[in-house]
Amino acid sequence: YPGTFAAPPQQPVNDPMWGYFTAIAGQDGEIDAEELQQCLTQSGISGTYAPFSLETCRIMIAMLDRDMTGKLGFTEFKELFAALNGWKQNFMMFDQDRSGTVEPHEMSQSINAMGYRISPQALNAVIKRYSKGGRIYFDDYVACAVKLRALTDNFRRRDQMQQGSVSFQYDDFIQCTMSI
Amino acid sequence: YPGTFAAPPQQPVNDPMWGYFTAIAGQDGEIDAEELQQCLTQSGISGTYAPFSLETCRIMIAMLDRDMTGKLGFTEFKELFAALNGWKQNFMMFDQDRSGTVEPHEMSQSINAMGYRISPQALNAVIKRYSKGGRIYFDDYVACAVKLRALTDNFRRRDQMQQGSVSFQYDDFIQCTMSI
Ligand SMILES: [Ca+2]
Ligand SMILES: [Ca+2]
Ligand SMILES: [Ca+2]
């Protein structure tokens, strides 16, 4: 398509993901958290790591579900899948011994590698929250990455002058933090 | 203790909770999320409802763990236990058929009953996030109550003029929302 900048609309039928998405989504063409968990497990994206917990699947949906139905369509699912592949590569890079966990100091590096600039104190709070027995498992790593992305997006959308500071009304604060 | 306003320091030895707290806490006198889950299960506080998930126990610790060790001492454990009893009573009041779940419209009433004033839109986002198959289970109900309390506390602490609006720096915003 020379001279065309927009990608041509994708034919979902030719997409390898389309098969198990539709099989699971059923008639409404959307998937909820339980169905997302099945989809992701069947896709094998967790590789040798444990499949995603239902809780993490709910956070994933909250991140992408812009129309607030609690479900994802195929486009949102594909967007999620692309993000997950990025996080998986990032995780594997830091989990060099393939133990299935990254250690706290590696987690700091990894959050930096994702492009977030946060203070040692904030990093410490995040790491504490997502560790089990001093280590971070893939499922929690992804939950952490999803939340960081969603909260940062929510913040940026309100920080239109890019001043690094946002004035929140209580109701808006609760809505944008409780839904994640 | 007439004329004395402060309660006398409690003798933990005479406290019925002290027994299983120390049995589980071991030498360091503090409990982490896994140990909290054991403690709460043994205490029977969930009654006929399913025991608390590890995820909910982690949120509980994040709410109370002011020194950021990822663990709770006995005082904090007692404070948590008191809050849990309140939420359980609240939940049972709305789960009148003892199905173990409350329905979305009852959840709205219940959040109002806890003293929070939030818009229908924010309520809707919260309910969507904590429902499974259109119902809210006790474990998720408590996770929701813990988060609402912690986020509201964090907000209030910064809203010293009580104007209902807080200006957050990005780092502070991430720290206070990611740790819950
Ligand atoms: Ca949707
Ligand atoms: Ca490792
Ligand atoms: Ca019920």
Side-chain angles (χ1 to χ4, degrees):
Chain A
Y1 300 88
T4 308
F5 290 93
Q10 237 183 328
Q11 298 298 323
V13 173
N14 298 327
D15 193 312
M17 309 289 295
W18 179 246
Y20 49 78
F21 181 84
T22 44
I24 286 172
Q27 290 212 314
D28 69 349
E30 293 217 310
I31 53 174
D32 63 18
E34 272 97 349
E35 293 168 337
L36 177 60
Q37 193 182 32
Q38 282 182 57
C39 258
L40 292 176
T41 303
Q42 287 185 22
S43 77
I45 192 170
S46 296
T48 56
Y49 305 126
F52 291 115
S53 65
L54 191 55
E55 175 64 15
T56 299
C57 292
R58 288 160 91 183
I59 298 170
M60 291 175 192
I61 288 189
M63 173 180 73
L64 288 168
D65 177 29
R66 291 177 195 106
D67 57 357
M68 297 264 293
T69 58
K71 297 182 173 190
L72 297 186
F74 185 61
T75 311
E76 296 160 320
F77 176 72
K78 290 272 289 182
E79 188 183 335
L80 172 62
F81 209 79
L84 285 178
N85 272 316
W87 290 323
K88 187 185 177 184
Q89 279 176 21
N90 203 354
F91 187 85
M92 288 174 74
M93 198 166 75
F94 289 102
D95 177 24
Q96 290 184 327
D97 63 356
R98 303 299 292 271
S99 65
T101 56
V102 300
E103 276 48 68
H105 73 279
E106 297 167 334
M107 187 66 175
S108 302
Q109 294 166 19
S110 159
I111 288 173
N112 278 324
M114 289 183 210
Y116 298 104
R117 295 289 166 269
I118 57 178
S119 66
Q121 209 181 348
L123 264 176
N124 194 32
V126 170
I127 290 168
K128 209 128 262 165
R129 173 65 179 80
Y130 292 94
S131 321
K132 279 177 186 144
R135 288 148 187 272
I136 295 112
Y137 290 83
F138 183 55
D139 181 54
D140 291 316
Y141 180 87
V142 168
C144 176
V146 168
K147 280 209 189 187
L148 256 179
R149 185 177 127 168
L151 290 166
T152 302
D153 282 355
N154 279 341
F155 189 91
R156 279 213 192 110
R157 211 172 296 138
R158 288 162 179 81
D159 183 22
Q160 291 177 333
M161 307 294 282
Q162 300 188 34
Q163 296 181 310
S165 146
V166 168
S167 181
F168 278 93
Q169 299 291 316
Y170 174 69
D171 198 75
D172 185 35
F173 176 73
I174 289 298
Q175 196 174 334
C176 97
T177 57
M178 284 294 291
S179 55
I180 285 294
Chain B
Y1 300 87
T4 306
F5 290 94
Q10 234 183 330
Q11 298 297 322
V13 174
N14 299 326
D15 193 312
M17 308 289 297
W18 179 245
Y20 49 75
F21 181 85
T22 43
I24 286 173
Q27 290 211 315
D28 69 349
E30 293 217 310
I31 53 174
D32 62 19
E34 272 95 351
E35 292 168 337
L36 177 60
Q37 192 183 31
Q38 281 182 59
C39 257
L40 292 176
T41 303
Q42 286 185 23
S43 77
I45 191 169
S46 295
T48 56
Y49 304 125
F52 291 114
S53 65
L54 190 56
E55 176 63 18
T56 299
C57 292
R58 287 160 92 185
I59 299 169
M60 293 175 190
I61 289 190
M63 173 179 73
L64 289 168
D65 177 29
R66 290 179 195 106
D67 57 358
M68 297 264 293
T69 58
K71 297 181 173 191
L72 297 186
F74 186 61
T75 311
E76 296 160 319
F77 176 73
K78 292 272 289 180
E79 188 183 335
L80 172 62
F81 208 79
L84 285 178
N85 271 317
W87 289 323
K88 187 185 177 184
Q89 279 176 23
N90 203 352
F91 186 85
M92 289 174 74
M93 199 165 76
F94 289 101
D95 176 24
Q96 290 184 328
D97 61 357
R98 304 298 294 271
S99 65
T101 57
V102 301
E103 275 50 66
H105 72 280
E106 297 167 335
M107 187 65 175
S108 302
Q109 293 165 22
S110 159
I111 288 174
N112 279 323
M114 289 183 208
Y116 299 104
R117 295 290 167 266
I118 57 177
S119 66
Q121 210 181 348
L123 264 176
N124 193 32
V126 170
I127 290 168
K128 207 126 266 165
R129 172 66 179 81
Y130 292 93
S131 320
K132 280 177 185 144
R135 290 147 186 273
I136 295 112
Y137 291 82
F138 184 55
D139 181 54
D140 291 316
Y141 180 87
V142 168
C144 177
V146 168
K147 278 207 188 188
L148 257 179
R149 184 176 129 169
L151 289 167
T152 302
D153 282 354
N154 279 340
F155 190 91
R156 279 212 192 107
R157 212 171 297 136
R158 288 163 179 80
D159 183 22
Q160 289 176 335
M161 308 293 281
Q162 299 188 35
Q163 297 181 310
S165 144
V166 168
S167 180
F168 278 94
Q169 299 290 315
Y170 174 70
D171 198 75
D172 185 34
F173 176 73
I174 289 298
Q175 197 174 335
C176 96
T177 57
M178 284 293 292
S179 55
I180 285 292

